[in-house]
């Protein structure tokens, strides 16, 4: 059992090392996009499924409440937080369009949509990106290695170099915290 624990910790560390080696420019670009949006009076919208949905709720809370420093709240919306809207649209139409509809309802040109999909192939996240693009909303995708195929569909792609969902999700959390930290620092500048 200790060997398995040790190996999983080492695998997590190795994935994060590959993120340092491969993803720094994309993380910086994503942070700059979000900071610029907030400086211009806009907001961030977040979407994802399963564990990624939980990350979206977590990051929106960090931005509205606070991450590490006392400051004014910033507008951030996790598109899965309104269960009634999500299930009404999914029941009446389809689940694939549930995030896109909310982007249409809550988004505005100059905002940023952050979509999290370990595979990069979540249809509801991809449709949200398409809707955002049609409205002048900038898009950031957090994916895993398989997500490279959506590079042309988003403004910034942060593709964690791994095929293992748990390792991708662990790296996403670190990246999301970095984004929150950089945004929060900019709020105080």
């Amino acid at each position: 059992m200790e060997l398995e624990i040790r190996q999983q910790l080492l695998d997590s560390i190795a994935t994060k090392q590959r993120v340092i080696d491969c993803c720094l420019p994309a993380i910086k670009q994503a942070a700059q996009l979000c900071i610029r949006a907030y400086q211009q009076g806009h907001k961030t919208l977040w979407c994802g499924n399963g564990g990624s949905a939980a990350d979206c709720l977590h990051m929106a809370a960090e931005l509205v409440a606070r991450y590490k420093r006392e400051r004014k709240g910033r507008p951030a919306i996790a598109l899965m937080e309104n269960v009634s809207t999500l299930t009404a649209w999914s029941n009446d139409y389809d689940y694939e369009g549930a995030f896109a509809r909310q982007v249409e309802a809550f988004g505005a040109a100059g905002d940023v949509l952050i979509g999290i999909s370990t595979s990069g192939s979540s249809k509801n996240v991809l449709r949200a990106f398409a809707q955002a693009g049609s409205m002048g909303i900038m898009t950031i995708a957090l994916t895993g290695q398989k997500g490279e195929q959506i590079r042309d569909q988003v403004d910034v792609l942060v593709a964690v170099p791994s095929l293992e969902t748990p390792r991708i999700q662990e790296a996403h959390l670190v990246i999301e915290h970095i984004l929150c930290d950089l945004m929060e620092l900019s709020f105080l500048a």
Side-chain angles (χ1 to χ4, degrees), residues 52-88:
S52 299
D55 281 4
C56 293
L57 291 164
H58 178 179
M59 294 309 118
E62 299 287 22
L63 292 164
V64 171
R66 72 180 193 105
Y67 179 58
K68 294 193 294 187
R69 299 161 191 93
E70 295 301 323
R71 43 111 180 134
K72 290 183 179 180
R74 293 297 188 263
I77 301 170
L79 299 179
M80 66 292 308
E81 67 189 3
N82 187 326
V83 175
S84 294
T85 298
L86 189 64
T87 58

Side-chain angles (χ1 to χ4, degrees), residues 23-44 110-114 138-140 155-156 158 175-176 178-187:
C23 299
L24 251 54
I27 295 168
K28 179 182 176 185
Q29 189 178 5
Q32 290 170 329
L33 208 60
C34 293
I35 290 166
R36 186 169 40 255
Y38 277 118
Q39 287 172 338
Q40 295 172 355
H42 299 288
K43 64 187 165 298
T44 56
D111 290 344
V112 176
L113 172 67
I114 298 113
M138 302 301 286
T139 53
I140 299 168
D155 296 297
V156 179
V158 183
I175 293 164
E176 293 153 6
I178 291 167
L179 293 176
C180 282
D181 192 49
L182 294 172
M183 284 186 267
E184 192 169 78
L185 284 170
S186 77
F187 302 157

Side-chain angles (χ1 to χ4, degrees), residues 138-155:
M138 302 301 286
T139 53
I140 299 168
L142 298 180
T143 70
Q145 190 170 315
K146 288 182 181 177
E148 282 289 335
Q149 81 269 6
I150 67 167
R151 183 171 297 282
D152 295 337
Q153 298 173 42
V154 296
D155 296 297

Side-chain angles (χ1 to χ4, degrees), residues 100 102-111 129-138:
Q102 291 182 76
V103 169
E104 177 185 50
F106 301 123
D111 290 344
F129 285 144
Q131 180 65 42
S134 74
M135 296 173 62
I137 297 170
M138 302 301 286

